[in-house]
Amino acid sequence: MRLRLLLVPLACLVVAVILQTTLFSRFSFVTPDLVLLVIILLATTDLPREGVLVMAFSGGLVVDMLGSTALGLRAAVFTVIGYVAVKTAHRVDIGPLATALWVAALTLAGVALFLVIGTLFGQGGLVSTGIGRRLIFVPLSNLVLSFVVAPLMNRLISGKVRALL
C-alpha cells in the first residue's frame, strides 16, 4: 500500500506533464493546465501533505525545464497552490460540484499568481497578449476535466472514491 501511494501519484504527474507539454501545447482551443490540476487533486487523496508539496515542486520544476520560463517559476507557483489545496481540501469533500468549483478557483489563483510573478521576473506575463483568455479558459478547462480526473485519481491512489461522486 505504501508503494502505491508513491508510484501512482508519480505516474499521474508524469502523464500530466507529457500530455501538457506535447499534446495540449499544440492546440490553442484546449487550454487546461493538467499538471496544476493533478497537483490540486492530489490534496484530495490519501497522499500525505508533504508528498503533495514535493509532487507540486517537482512537477513545476519539470515543466519549467521543458518550457521557456524562468527555472523555478512554475515550481514556486505550483508549490503555493499545492499548499493552499492541502489546507482547504477538507472543505470540498461534499461532492463533485464543490470539487470542480474548488479546482477552478485554485487554478484561477495559480494562473494569476504565475502572471504576476512572471511579470516581476521579466517573463512578460501581465503585458502579453491573451491574458484574458488564459484567466478564463484555463480554470474552465480544469473545472470540466476535474469531473473525470478527480474520481479516477482517488480510485487509483486511495482505492476508493471519497464522497467525490
Side-chain angles (χ1 to χ4, degrees):
M1 185 65 181
R2 300 297 281 179
L3 191 61
R4 182 182 200 168
L5 282 177
L6 175 68
L7 293 180
V8 175
L10 187 61
C12 290
L13 193 62
V14 168
V15 168
V17 167
I18 290 171
L19 286 176
Q20 183 173 328
T21 57
T22 58
L23 181 64
F24 288 121
S25 67
R26 298 185 193 276
F27 301 118
S28 62
F29 59 89
V30 180
T31 58
D33 193 340
L34 288 179
V35 178
L36 186 59
L37 175 66
V38 167
I39 289 165
I40 292 169
L41 290 176
L42 281 175
T44 64
T45 65
D46 289 340
L47 188 66
R49 293 177 175 186
E50 297 84 9
V52 173
L53 296 178
V54 167
M55 292 288 181
F57 183 78
S58 303
L61 199 58
V62 169
V63 172
D64 281 339
M65 287 190 282
L66 294 174
S68 62
T69 60
L71 190 61
L73 185 61
R74 283 194 194 269
V77 170
F78 288 179
T79 305
V80 168
I81 297 301
Y83 179 76
V84 173
V86 163
K87 287 297 194 182
T88 59
H90 65 282
R91 296 175 188 251
V92 297
D93 209 9
I94 57 175
L97 184 60
T99 303
L101 292 174
W102 174 69
V103 164
L106 286 179
T107 302
L108 178 62
V111 170
L113 185 62
F114 178 74
L115 290 173
V116 169
I117 294 176
T119 301
L120 293 174
F121 284 97
Q123 299 295 313
L126 290 176
V127 294
S128 65
T129 59
I131 187 173
R133 186 178 71 81
R134 287 176 67 186
L135 285 172
I136 294 171
F137 289 120
V138 173
L140 284 178
S141 299
N142 279 3
L143 181 140
V144 171
L145 282 175
S146 71
F147 284 107
V148 175
V149 177
L152 180 66
M153 281 182 57
N154 272 288
R155 172 99 33 199
L156 287 173
I157 296 170
S158 305
K160 61 187 179 290
V161 178
R162 305 167 22 193
L164 294 173
L165 275 183

